[in-house]
Amino acid sequence: MKEMTFLNKLFFVLVLFFAISLPLPIAFSSIAVILLCILFLANRKGLVTGIKLYAGNRRNILLLIIFATLTLSITYSDDKKIAANVILAALPLIALPLSLSRLITLTTRQYNILKVFFVLSCFITSLVYFFAAISRSGLADGSYPLYMRHMPLSDTLAYTAIHLTYHHLSPGIHAVFFSLYIAFAIILIVFNWEQLSKWAKIICGVLVFYFILYLILLSSIIINFGLFSFLIGYIYFQFSFRKWHHYPIFFLTLLSGTFITLYLLISKSFIPPHVAIYRFDSPVFNETIAAALILVFLTGLLSIAIKRLFKKNYVPILASLVILVALSFSYLGYDKYKLATAQNKNSIEARINYGKEALRAIKTNPVFGIGIGDKKNENIMKVEDLPEGALPDHMFNSHNQFLDFWLSSGIITLICFVLLLINELRKTFHYKDLSYLGLVYLFCLFCFTDSAIMVQRGQLFFLFFIALFDYEIKNQGKAT
């Protein structure tokens, strides 16, 4: 009994270290995973219990099949060395869920501590990265390039924007993954708001505002869209709109989210890299933003009217309205998009091209894929079509986890991954845990723009928190 108590305490220290390490350089998370695996294997008495917990979870079976199909693809990969390296990187798909089976032993207080320390780690890390970016830019001590002092104000603003946005604000972690972490930290705060004391609410309110500003500076379109759309959806379904304060909260979130997403879309995708920010100097884009805000405002009014009039039967009508508005947005931005892409190459255009090439390669091997080791640029794309810095022997990145799995090891891997996400979404609705739902929703969106679960930053974060929520809710007896 004393041994088990000691092991439980040691396990909690390790998972606490793991939660703190996520926003830090990846070496810290890797060390935490290794230590957790060693602890799991060293505890012979708990091995059987851990394996039973592992085998009794549908999520883990699907992850096991995904790993098995990826491993099987080595047999028809010409480059088996690269294939073996990819499989080694995918080992946490099995190892981490196994080593986290002891999460079932934690208390409610310990679960909350893990979440709090993750949020604090995101905050402290972001501050360090921010001041490091200022230091590197030379803006604090005036050591930035001398020629900038004699350039127009607009160029100085561009220089500042370049050095205080995107990768400059996250040197130890890819900006999009850091955006995912910060967005999830916001969700953890917002959906645990009622548990906070008065002073804690004030502090956390300031922290949420800070995180939102930092998230905007990181410039991830999909994560900003995911966060605001989730908050808007929550407010809409939660509010009765029978009280006056429901309206300003809803419309402020709706219009702010729309403006921020559109601004990032224009700044990051359609503005030349040396300009960095959109200065509202284009009538074409100004008209687009104004029209979009008006359309979204009118849609918000109509959606409230639908909810008030149709009460419990408003969801199908609301879904039709959302589809109609999405099509309107596509039509609204089509000509502007063609104009912008004719002048500048952008990340959206690059992702579309990668997706097309991935689909073309999938058509040649739709059942088994081309093999995880042969997923290289030279096997999929023409050398002249590769973006700057990409070499023919580099691993091909479709920037889409669904296409990436299908391309690598076939249709079974894709189906299992889709079933995995559906299973997690089903659990969130069954448990009625909004933080859990927000995590899965953000990750699902992220998988459409990046290979999220085959990158260590994504797989460790996602597997850890879905296991944490699952065991927490089961341990509290909320599952039925």
Side-chain angles (χ1 to χ4, degrees), residues 280-460:
F280 300 98
D281 51 358
S282 168
V284 173
F285 287 125
N286 289 345
E287 291 171 5
T288 302
I289 293 173
L293 290 174
I294 293 171
L295 176 62
V296 165
F297 179 76
L298 294 175
T299 302
L301 285 176
L302 185 56
S303 64
I304 292 172
I306 290 172
K307 183 174 183 178
R308 294 289 301 274
L309 290 172
F310 294 93
K311 297 180 180 179
K312 294 183 179 181
N313 300 318
Y314 65 90
V315 175
I317 302 172
L318 178 66
S320 302
L321 177 63
V322 171
I323 293 172
L324 182 62
V325 171
L327 293 174
S328 300
F329 264 111
S330 300
Y331 176 78
L332 184 66
Y334 181 70
D335 291 334
K336 286 78 177 177
Y337 175 76
K338 287 199 301 182
L339 175 64
T341 51
Q343 298 173 348
N344 304 297
K345 291 183 179 180
N346 59 77
S347 59
I348 294 179
E349 187 74 10
R351 277 171 165 75
I352 291 173
N353 290 337
Y354 276 125
K356 288 179 180 177
E357 294 301 319
L359 287 170
R360 184 185 60 77
I362 287 169
K363 288 178 182 178
T364 63
N365 298 277
V367 179
F368 297 106
I370 66 173
I372 191 71
D374 297 342
K375 191 174 67 75
K376 302 178 185 178
N377 288 326
E378 60 189 356
N379 294 334
I380 299 168
M381 297 185 71
K382 296 178 181 178
V383 176
E384 58 268 22
D385 293 335
L386 293 175
E388 185 179 353
L391 298 178
D393 59 342
H394 284 177
M395 292 297 286
F396 175 79
N397 185 0
S398 63
H399 292 280
N400 184 305
Q401 187 61 76
F402 305 98
L403 294 179
D404 190 71
F405 273 145
W406 196 359
L407 177 65
S408 301
S409 52
I411 191 69
I412 294 177
T413 314
L414 171 64
I415 291 172
C416 287
F417 182 60
V418 172
L419 289 176
L420 171 71
L421 295 179
I422 291 173
N423 180 63
E424 294 307 311
L425 284 171
R426 181 190 62 81
K427 282 185 178 181
T428 64
F429 286 109
H430 178 67
Y431 293 153
K432 297 180 182 179
D433 191 302
L434 290 168
S435 297
Y436 192 0
L437 176 59
L439 167 68
V440 179
Y441 173 71
L442 284 174
F443 194 79
C444 286
L445 286 181
F446 192 26
C447 286
F448 283 102
T449 61
D450 278 280
S451 300
I453 206 165
M454 283 301 287
V455 177
Q456 195 171 359
R457 284 288 187 189
Q459 63 184 211
L460 297 186

